[in-house]
Amino acid sequence: QSALTQPRSVSGSPGQSVTISCTGTSSDVGGYNYVSWYQQHPGKAPKLMIYDVSKRPSGVPDRFSGSKSGNTASLTISGLQAEDEADYYCCSYAGSYTSVVFGGGTKLTVL
Amino acid sequence: EVQLVESGGGLVQPGGSLRLSCAASGFTFSSYSMNWVRQAPGKGLEWVSYISSSSSTIYYADSVKGRFTISRDNAKNSLYLQMNSLRDEDTAVYYCARIYDSSGYFDYWGQGTLVTVSS
């Protein structure tokens, strides 16, 4: 199972919006609505931000939203804040735990 | 409050063994499937192993199959990972993570424990 493809880095100024893409195949991202996104600050554990493509867990600000089109999922962060600066990972579950695959991660820099 | 606390990491020589533990609290441990996910230094996340709530179903990534064994003790609210025949490429922070079975997302993570394989 190949890793999902994410841009290595994205950046934006406070208040702006940024979108992080996550490209897979019809066997993972495109075939199932089981894409999740995780935020990871340096030295910290990952934190679930989006699940089932577009659902937000309790406590996650509504500035974070997810979507999917074909084989590409996206995480959009609007109204960027300094604390959003972190690494973001997408993950696809294709109905079997042996097919759980993560993206390579995207470093978000808030300018 | 859900808490997952890993322990057991450390420095081990190639070919050696190590046993990781994850102590769970704040939820009914016996009702949830659990996983180990690892992250090599400066790298991304890699799923390692899955165990169902009753231990009846277990999966491993190809990279660790035959060398690692996942287990759990629901009476002790604990998850384990026995790692044998360790290789340099097993060096990573190992996280235990609770999984929501229906959709395959990891809703809670521990803080991780570092395993370093080096001579």
Side-chain angles (χ1 to χ4, degrees):
Chain A
Q1 195 83 2
S2 300
L4 306 176
T5 300
Q6 297 181 233
R8 296 203 62 157
S9 64
V10 297
S11 63
S13 299
Q16 289 186 330
S17 294
V18 294
T19 296
I20 300 171
S21 62
C22 170
T23 301
T25 69
S26 58
S27 297
D28 40 60
V29 173
Y32 302 84
N33 287 324
Y34 296 143
V35 176
S36 51
W37 289 89
Y38 303 87
Q39 176 192 64
Q40 186 179 37
H41 287 108
K44 301 295 187 182
K47 175 187 175 184
L48 177 68
M49 304 301 285
I50 295 288
Y51 67 96
D52 291 356
V53 176
S54 60
K55 298 177 181 177
R56 274 180 292 106
S58 173
V60 173
D62 59 7
R63 303 185 294 104
F64 292 83
S65 62
S67 62
K68 190 184 81 167
S69 177
N71 297 335
T72 298
S74 298
L75 172 70
T76 298
I77 309 170
S78 59
L80 268 179
Q81 299 181 4
E83 59 262 35
D84 298 333
E85 185 163 294
D87 293 325
Y88 292 84
Y89 293 91
C90 62
C91 180
S92 174
Y93 167 65
S96 164
Y97 294 101
T98 55
S99 58
V100 167
V101 61
F102 287 94
T106 298
K107 180 176 180 58
L108 168 63
T109 300
V110 180
L111 302 171
Chain B
E1 178 193 7
V2 172
Q3 283 200 316
L4 299 170
V5 180
E6 301 92 337
S7 61
L11 175 64
V12 60
Q13 292 188 338
S17 298
L18 214 53
R19 190 194 195 206
L20 306 184
S21 299
C22 172
S25 61
F27 66 102
T28 305
F29 181 72
S30 59
S31 297
Y32 288 87
S33 299
M34 298 294 295
N35 293 257
W36 289 97
V37 178
R38 69 184 180 183
Q39 186 172 34
K43 302 297 184 182
L45 301 168
E46 179 190 15
W47 171 78
V48 173
S49 184
Y50 162 96
I51 185 168
S52 63
S53 58
S54 65
S55 303
S56 60
T57 302
I58 287 174
Y59 297 112
Y60 298 99
D62 287 344
S63 57
V64 307
K65 199 175 297 182
R67 301 186 298 121
F68 289 12
T69 302
I70 192 172
S71 63
R72 63 190 295 161
D73 185 337
N74 286 342
K76 295 183 177 180
N77 290 339
S78 293
L79 174 72
Y80 306 102
L81 186 67
Q82 177 67 43
M83 303 185 296
N84 298 331
S85 303
L86 283 162
R87 305 167 179 168
D88 290 350
E89 55 265 33
D90 295 319
T91 294
V93 173
Y94 285 74
Y95 296 100
C96 68
R98 194 177 85 169
I99 194 163
Y100 187 79
D101 267 320
S102 300
S103 308
Y105 61 84
F106 306 95
D107 56 356
Y108 288 96
W109 300 64
Q111 87 288 348
T113 187
L114 176 62
V115 172
T116 303
V117 184
S118 175
S119 53

